[in-house]
Amino acid sequence: MCCLSHSCVVCVSPEEERRVRANDREYNEKFQYASNCIVTSKYNVITFLPVNLFEQFQEVANTYFLFLLILQLIPQISSLSWFTTIVPLVLVLSITAVKDATDDYFRHKSDNQVNNRQSQVVIHGSLQKQKWMNVRVGDIIKLENNQFVAADLLLLSSSEPHSLCYIETAELDGETNMKVRQSLSVTAELGDPNSLASFDGRKSLSIGLCVFHTSEVSRSTLQPST
């Protein structure tokens, strides 16, 4: 099965237009499309402490105890020791920070796993292995049975009869039923690498308010939108 990669389109202006050429990275890079690198993590080593503390002090309880601690540091206002407030506050902040750091570590790990998965991309007339995070808009990708997909794709051809393919979108919408997609008849014969390398398909979108979602590959997505 061969597919054309494209960015997820979220349009807000009727004048917005996106153009994509297959097998032409230099042309597509002029439009500065987003990369295919997936990032679901919230922090890095530098931003973790300030961002996490900022988020925690959005909680009313944490802000209250911080304000109470500041008052206890002023002898003229409070006779209580600041130690009775700072210990539980630091304990709560520390436990929450450890939990957030652990969750974010697994998000980083999951991102790296997805981004470093291998795909087969047509580059300079031949199939080459590329990491999914290095896939670019307009690349032609060869997919095999039960292969994970980490990009928005348009179906060009399939080895199945009538150029059909069956996809599962459980990670997107929770549905485990197989969905059927069919390529256009004009691209259905693009099965061998030589045909794919010479393919000069172009896609131009003039869109109002609409969204194309990942894995929603159909006939209409290959046609200019009106």
Side-chain angles (χ1 to χ4, degrees):
M1 180 172 65
C2 300
C3 302
L4 176 69
S5 66
H6 68 100
S7 297
C8 181
V9 181
V10 181
C11 312
V12 296
S13 171
E15 302 298 328
E16 183 175 353
E17 184 178 44
R18 295 194 176 210
R19 297 179 180 179
V20 177
R21 286 184 183 177
N23 290 320
D24 196 342
R25 285 192 171 187
E26 293 183 359
Y27 175 83
N28 296 325
E29 285 175 356
K30 295 189 300 183
F31 298 95
Q32 298 181 341
Y33 292 123
S35 71
N36 200 48
C37 183
I38 295 175
V39 179
T40 61
S41 57
K42 298 171 61 178
Y43 317 105
N44 57 41
V45 176
I46 298 176
T47 63
F48 174 74
L49 187 59
V51 174
N52 187 259
L53 287 177
F54 176 78
E55 291 178 344
Q56 290 199 58
F57 281 114
Q58 301 301 305
E59 299 290 336
V60 176
N62 292 339
T63 304
Y64 167 77
F65 280 105
L66 178 62
F67 181 72
L68 186 63
L69 174 62
I70 294 173
L71 293 179
Q72 289 179 343
L73 292 175
I74 305 174
Q76 293 81 359
I77 296 178
S78 175
S79 59
L80 297 176
S81 173
W82 56 267
F83 187 79
T84 58
T85 301
I86 194 172
V87 171
L89 179 60
V90 171
L91 184 62
V92 170
L93 294 177
S94 300
I95 293 175
T96 305
V98 170
K99 174 183 175 297
D100 291 342
T102 303
D103 293 342
D104 206 58
Y105 166 76
F106 286 110
R107 282 193 288 265
H108 275 285
K109 189 175 181 180
S110 176
D111 291 345
N112 290 332
Q113 181 181 8
V114 173
N115 288 328
N116 288 290
R117 284 180 174 174
Q118 296 292 321
S119 62
Q120 298 184 74
V121 182
V122 178
I123 300 178
H124 302 305
S126 62
L127 284 173
Q128 299 182 19
K129 288 188 176 295
Q130 289 275 315
K131 296 179 180 179
W132 273 108
M133 65 179 179
N134 295 328
V135 170
R136 296 291 179 263
V137 174
D139 285 349
I140 294 181
I141 303 170
K142 180 181 179 181
L143 298 176
E144 298 178 350
N145 190 33
N146 296 323
Q147 184 174 349
F148 180 85
V149 179
D152 302 325
L153 302 178
L154 299 177
L155 180 62
L156 296 179
S157 66
S158 172
S159 59
E160 292 292 314
H162 309 294
S163 293
L164 298 176
C165 75
Y166 304 88
I167 61 175
E168 181 181 290
T169 59
E171 294 189 9
L172 292 176
D173 51 26
E175 294 186 11
T176 57
N177 295 331
M178 303 296 287
K179 296 179 176 64
V180 182
R181 296 293 182 265
Q182 185 178 27
S183 68
L184 286 174
S185 58
V186 293
T187 62
E189 303 301 325
L190 297 174
D192 60 279
N194 292 330
S195 299
L196 294 173
S198 60
F199 178 62
D200 187 27
R202 302 184 183 186
K203 178 182 175 185
S204 179
L205 299 172
S206 298
I207 314 168
L209 297 174
C210 65
V211 179
F212 289 143
H213 295 289
T214 303
S215 300
E216 290 297 317
V217 182
S218 64
R219 289 178 180 270
S220 61
T221 58
L222 280 173
Q223 299 292 336
S225 178
T226 56

